[in-house]
Amino acid sequence: MLLVAAGVWWALRPDDSPETAACPYPVVSSGVTSAKPDDDNRTTIAAPSSGAVTVTETGFTQIANKGEVSMGAVVENTSSQVAYRTRVIFGAFDANGKYALGESGRFNYFFEIPIIRPGERSVIGTYAFLDPASFTRTGIWITVARASLQLVQTQWIREADTETFPTVTARLNPEKPPMAGDGDVIVHLVANSNACRELGGRGKMMVFRDAAGSVVGGAYHPMPNSEVCAAGDFTTRAQALGGRLPEADLARTELSVYCDLTPSSYLPAGPTQPVN
């Protein structure tokens, strides 16, 4: 339903004016390209011509005595085409390669990045719960040795339609630095969309880095449908409920605001339905 709606949203909204040259309707491809492992057993999604969507950085922090892990990653589009609705899923594993998260909540870490324009980077993060069954058996939380972000699929937009897809940027608000509270982190941000009208919000993502610049985790903050990606400049805030990571230098936090042709449906996450 979400996919179908994306292709017709511009035409169906009752308050929209007819298509004009100044505000063209994005053309959404119906084809889907699946990810494939590369030589290092990481997933990539190759573009039809050249380039690909790739995961360039990952990192994690296991939260002591809480049965949680914060994971973050950076995804890059090295092609000359827009990657639309790129689906990804986080995983965490112990030293033996065993899945370390709760199996019943696997799809709670399944996300969709709405738009990655050519040459763009997008950050993504989440807090995840470790396997409670393992804790019940042993009395200790499983130790995470590796966390990863696996690419699943994307829709490649033909190069001729690249400019119909907006550019959305986000950065820390220099007037309101990130603040760590007792159980959360509040990050204020300033963003800009060059779209000719408001877009639907699909969530806000954070990636946390240490003093050396390495990724140590990340977080996801949903955007209610009442909060939109406004055309032009807009301000908002993101909240990480898992608390500050010990090694995180909050001044180095990176952000992405996920804006799409339609807002999130927020249906329950599942094999074909991302969290956002």
Side-chain angles (χ1 to χ4, degrees), residues 30 33 103 113 128 176 265:
S30 60
T33 303
E103 186 64 39
I113 306 172
K176 297 180 179 180
S265 65

Side-chain angles (χ1 to χ4, degrees), residues 115-247:
I115 299 169
I116 318 176
R117 288 179 53 82
E120 280 188 343
R121 299 162 67 253
S122 185
V123 303
I124 184 166
T126 191
Y127 278 74
F129 294 102
L130 298 175
D131 180 14
S134 176
F135 180 81
T136 299
R137 290 193 306 270
T138 65
I140 57 175
W141 291 107
I142 192 170
T143 299
V144 176
R146 178 176 64 87
S148 65
L149 182 73
Q150 296 294 308
L151 303 174
V152 179
Q153 65 182 44
T154 199
Q155 295 169 258
W156 289 109
I157 305 304
R158 62 176 190 156
E159 290 186 51
D161 298 317
T162 297
E163 296 309 315
T164 67
F165 279 78
T167 299
V168 181
T169 59
R171 60 185 176 89
L172 292 176
N173 188 333
E175 299 179 358
K176 297 180 179 180
M179 300 179 298
D182 291 337
D184 65 0
V185 174
I186 302 295
V187 180
H188 295 272
L189 57 106
V190 292
N192 175 271
S193 166
N194 72 351
C196 50
R197 66 195 73 195
E198 69 183 35
L199 300 172
R202 297 286 305 278
K204 290 164 280 194
M205 292 289 185
M206 293 161 274
V207 156
F208 302 118
R209 296 181 180 273
D210 62 17
S214 299
V215 174
V216 293
Y220 161 66
H221 183 190
M223 294 175 71
N225 288 341
S226 59
E227 182 180 359
V228 299
C229 296
D233 296 324
F234 60 98
T235 60
T236 184
R237 73 173 194 167
Q239 184 177 22
L241 292 175
R244 180 175 182 170
L245 304 179
E247 300 300 320

Side-chain angles (χ1 to χ4, degrees), residues 5-34:
V8 299
W9 178 79
W10 297 100
L12 293 185
R13 280 182 48 132
D15 57 344
D16 278 346
S17 58
E19 178 181 359
T20 67
C23 193
Y25 297 169
V27 178
V28 178
S29 166
S30 60
V32 173
T33 303
S34 298

